[in-house]
Amino acid sequence: MRILDRSVYVGPSLYAHFPVIRVELDLGELEKWPTAKLGTAYVMKLIEALPSLKEHGCSYREPGGFIRRMLEDEGTWLGHVFEHVAIELQNIAGEDVTFGKTRSTDKPGVYSVVYEYAQRDEGIEAGELALRLLCSLLPENLRPEDAVGADWDWPKARDEYIRYAQRRALGPSTASLVKAAVARDIPWFRMNEQSLIQLGHGKHQQRIQATVTGRTSYIAVELAQDKEETNKILAAIGLPVPQQRLVRTPDRAVAAAHRLGFPVVTKPYNGNHGRGISVRLMDDESVRKGFELAKAESTSVIVETYLEGEDHRLLVVNGELIAATRRTPGHVVGDGTSSVRKLVEEVNKDPRRGVGHEKVMTRLELDEQADMMLARVSMTADSVPAKDQVVMLRSTANLSTGGTATDVTDVIHPDNRDMAVRAVVAIGLDVGGVDFLISDITKSYKQAGGGICEVNAAPGFRMHVAPSEGKARDAAGPVIDMLFPPGTPSRVPICAVTGTNGKTTTSRMMAHIAKMAGFTPGLTTTDGVYIDGQRTVEGDMTGPVATRMVLADPKIDFAVLEIARGGLLRAGMGVPFIDVGAVLNVASDHLGMKGIDTLEQLAEVKKIVIEVAKDCAVLNADDANVIKMSADTEAKNICYVTMNPNHKLVREHIRAGGRACALEAGVNGHMIALYDKGAHLPLMWTHLIPATLEGRAMHNVQNAMFAAAIAFSMGIKLDSIRQGLRTFDTTFFQAPGRMNVYDEHPFKVIFDYGHNAHAVGVMADLAGRMEVAGRRIIVVAGPGDRRDEDIVAIAETVAGRFDHYICRRDDDLRGREPDAVPKMIAKVLRDKGVNEAQITIIPDEQEAIDAALRMGRQGDLLLVFADALARSWKQVTKFRPEGAPATAAPSTKAPPLPVDDASDSLLGTKGDVGDGALESAGFVRDERGIRFVKDSED
């Protein structure tokens, strides 16, 4: 049994709309050994190793269901068991994950196992440990030789995993803050491997690190760490504090103790978490030992008077006391017969105690500090305390060292409450914890005495949100409310655009419209990340990493995400949901890669964007695969986009009050019109949009329609949409490789990145619509990693529509021979009737483009498909024709391709559409208009 492949999805994917890990698990010979065949003994050993598996319901949806599934009939296969164990391992490490799904694949004995994770590394390691555990329990004759070593110890491996997970998981305080943010619908993501968290998007963001916020004063933190200075400030305003002395040698520590009077406390000058503190020191020797212990944590040591009383932590947030907790150091209580060691073992059996921060309390440890505390009362770990004798194992009451916490918020005296607030405000902290000693918290310090030991920056919340006794307090909520007062925005509007072709141009148009509307947009595209129109990162940035870059930028207040197939298959989306999602089309490209072999499978991938859209799904009604996606969206609105003014389904959708964007014919040309809730909203003539080349570039007309529909659905006003479309052009600067036109030569050059049959076809259509006095010349290629049929389709798309063809390849051969792609294209052209004299094979991209430019004459049109965009565009613009250009004979203008009507093929009817025809075609009418309903077999 081994893992063949692993993918980590950070957000919505084909498998779930939340983070999951998918592994391909090869059972090998164990395919023949389901759990029932392995026997009851195997299942019982697994339950003994992980008793909490008893709670898994599996398909029975009740505790014990998974065990029942393993034992009944033939049982279940180990791929399914692996899923449950990987989930449960994360559960015992303190994570709340439940989702899993295991399916067989088309490979015998290989399973696709998907399981939820909370932290990436923790989730991956859970899978590795699950594999080792399952193998270790197998009979020797079935156990893989390299599965586990002879000295493998499951309890040790389990505890090491828990510690590994906790080192990487959010601490209790940070986790409580994140939970409070999520409860208030505030987005968050982790910025490092520790506790640095961004709350909110873009310009609305706030940051926390543990319980230090972005508003916490640096000076206040420095003061809180300086125990001596804190003591002086609090004393100066009349608050109760012990007397202190700062020392640097053991002798001075002893001298200070004598001046202050025994008993005393020694602690680090700038320590935290109770480390290095020794209390109730009664003689010179103990002071010297306490000094050395504190010196290990700090360069200087504080000696202070010992205050009698119980230890309390008082939490103050934004000038208000939120919680008060009494803390008791880790200890055992004698029963008259058991040793200290045995008593510790009994205490650690409490299910509330765990490793580190795994549970609400931490296990007691018999370590050096415990030995020191025992020695003070002339005891060892093997001593037997008297009945009811309390034996302290720690000098401080920190929960992380086994202490317990009791909530006393409801009984704290008002004077003590005010004292805590004054102390934190005096230091200047927005979030602070006051360590206060007093014998009875219900009495005022003014009568009962007591004093403030410390004021802590970054106070822990664990003791308040999960006390050992008493009422749990919402310590995190007030912090989040301080950072995001009610009504304060935390999110930026997010739209996502996907499809086979046109998504980059549409995304750029949308970002430009947003900028014209007064926003500061962040944009992810196939050529980089753009912040307010400026490229900040270069490269294909259409995955979740780029999404996070945009949302982390403190300038942006609007996000436009181009989402590509590769990113969705590799890691999923970078956000759990979006406001508006758009699918432009589903065409043949990248098929045969990453398990996606058909258009229907590709549509399933693209559909993810629609599934997570909350406000509106914008769908191409002229594409049958896209319009059917209306069955899978929970968005409040569905907006159809069509270039066919007679589209029957869209007409019914509009009549039902639905939203749409349609292309309408008029006396002055084509008008883009919006429809919503029965209103007809003419937007603008297509010839007024520069990117459409006076309305001839129909693919950019469609892109502009999608951009308009998305912008309208994002709440942008019509005038701003018009202004954005009027001022967006297809210059190389604004849209590199997207129908860039250069007409400074005697001939015109159209420069494009099209790399599949659909994209090449729309550009060939444009070339046919343009008035050309001379010849039409094309430089054509296809990516080497596409299927042969995809490259053939590119050649078939352009065959017979140009006067000369120059066939080339990309620089990156992607597994092909150097001249394989151009030769394949040339052969198809010849087979389609193109004369040999019209075909030139020049494999190198630079040489091919240079040949085309040198071939150009007055009045010619060159359509250049390029791969290395910056280099090739520079080649076009820097080219200088030699000699006087000659005028060539005009060529015949190619006719435009008809617009497909998806509704005809779906409905099989002409004329108006009744409810009966809609229902028989799988569509229904509801409050959102007309949408597709999945077939029963789906």
Side-chain angles (χ1 to χ4, degrees), residues 567-736:
L568 290 171
L569 289 174
R570 186 171 52 253
M573 289 182 66
V575 285
F577 60 84
I578 54 178
D579 297 296
V580 175
V583 180
L584 310 189
N585 45 62
V586 178
S588 179
D589 193 17
H590 296 282
L591 296 182
M593 301 168 66
K594 290 187 176 293
I596 305 301
D597 300 313
T598 67
L599 284 180
E600 289 73 23
Q601 290 175 327
L602 184 58
E604 288 295 312
V605 177
K606 302 289 186 183
K607 188 175 67 176
I608 296 168
V609 170
I610 296 304
E611 291 173 339
V612 298
K614 293 182 68 175
D615 292 338
C616 188
V618 180
L619 301 173
N620 185 349
D622 299 331
D623 187 317
N625 281 313
V626 177
I627 196 172
K628 289 182 178 180
M629 294 180 188
S630 59
D632 296 284
T633 181
E634 297 296 325
K636 298 173 185 175
N637 295 286
I638 297 172
C639 179
Y640 291 125
V641 176
T642 180
M643 299 179 73
N644 176 12
N646 298 312
H647 198 298
K648 290 182 277 295
L649 281 173
V650 176
R651 182 169 63 242
E652 293 301 314
H653 179 69
I654 291 170
R655 289 175 177 175
R659 185 177 299 170
C661 181
L663 189 64
E664 300 176 342
V667 176
N668 197 31
H670 291 113
M671 168 68 72
I672 296 174
L674 291 164
Y675 291 85
D676 189 41
K677 298 176 182 177
H680 177 218
L681 308 169
L683 186 66
M684 65 188 305
W685 300 105
T686 60
H687 64 265
L688 298 179
I689 304 173
T692 69
L693 301 183
E694 297 183 340
R696 294 188 183 92
M698 295 304 292
H699 67 290
N700 264 0
V701 170
Q702 187 179 53
N703 292 336
M705 292 171 68
F706 271 102
I710 295 168
F712 181 76
S713 299
M714 294 287 279
I716 295 178
K717 294 180 179 179
L718 294 181
D719 284 345
S720 295
I721 298 174
R722 295 185 183 106
Q723 176 70 5
L725 292 177
R726 283 196 185 105
T727 55
F728 181 88
D729 57 35
T730 58
T731 60
F732 187 82
F733 171 77
Q734 197 159 38

Side-chain angles (χ1 to χ4, degrees), residues 42 62 105 123 201 239 254 257 272 294 309 348 405 449 453 490 497 544-545 549 600 621 629 650 689 692 826 900 924:
Y42 181 83
E62 61 182 16
T105 69
H201 293 155
L239 293 178
V254 170
N272 52 39
N348 285 338
C453 300
S490 62
V497 181
V545 172
M549 284 183 184
E600 289 73 23
M629 294 180 188
V650 176
I689 304 173
T692 69
D900 292 333
V924 297

Side-chain angles (χ1 to χ4, degrees), residues 56-225:
H56 286 219
C58 198
S59 55
Y60 293 102
R61 302 184 183 278
E62 61 182 16
F66 178 55
I67 297 176
R68 179 179 167 189
R69 178 76 183 276
M70 286 193 287
L71 293 175
E72 69 178 5
D73 299 327
E74 62 182 357
T76 188
W77 275 258
L78 289 184
H80 184 205
V81 180
F82 172 93
E83 166 207 321
H84 280 267
V85 173
I87 291 170
E88 187 54 34
L89 285 171
Q90 295 179 81
N91 291 160
I92 67 172
E95 303 292 4
D96 182 18
V97 294
T98 59
F99 175 81
K101 181 169 61 177
T102 300
R103 298 289 184 270
S104 59
T105 69
D106 54 4
K107 305 172 189 174
V110 177
Y111 289 79
S112 169
V113 183
V114 177
Y115 60 92
E116 186 180 359
Y117 72 91
Q119 300 295 333
R120 182 183 185 277
D121 293 342
E122 178 184 346
I124 291 174
E125 185 59 26
E128 295 290 343
L129 183 55
L131 185 63
R132 292 196 294 272
L133 174 60
L134 293 178
C135 288
S136 73
L137 301 177
L138 290 169
E140 192 169 342
N141 62 314
L142 294 176
R143 188 184 309 151
E145 293 183 4
D146 57 348
V148 291
D151 59 345
W152 195 67
D153 181 347
W154 159 245
K156 180 181 178 183
R158 176 198 60 207
D159 288 353
E160 286 178 350
Y161 169 73
I162 292 173
R163 292 188 178 93
Y164 173 90
Q166 289 183 352
R167 286 195 299 270
R168 287 155 179 80
L170 297 176
S173 300
T174 309
S176 69
L177 287 164
V178 167
K179 183 179 180 180
V182 171
R184 289 158 175 78
D185 196 31
I186 296 171
W188 70 280
F189 55 80
R190 197 169 182 173
M191 302 183 71
N192 63 9
E193 294 183 358
Q194 286 75 46
S195 299
L196 183 60
I197 304 293
Q198 176 178 313
L199 302 173
H201 293 155
K203 74 174 188 180
H204 305 309
Q205 67 180 269
Q206 298 285 343
R207 292 178 182 173
I208 59 171
Q209 182 157 305
T211 60
V212 174
T213 78
R215 299 181 181 182
T216 303
S217 162
Y218 175 79
I219 293 177
V221 173
E222 288 290 300
L223 284 175
Q225 290 180 340

Side-chain angles (χ1 to χ4, degrees), residues 835-856:
N835 192 292
E836 184 72 39
Q838 295 176 272
I839 303 171
T840 304
I841 295 178
I842 305 178
D844 182 78
E845 181 177 56
Q846 294 184 78
E847 293 176 5
I849 293 174
D850 183 69
L853 293 169
R854 293 184 182 281
M855 190 181 293

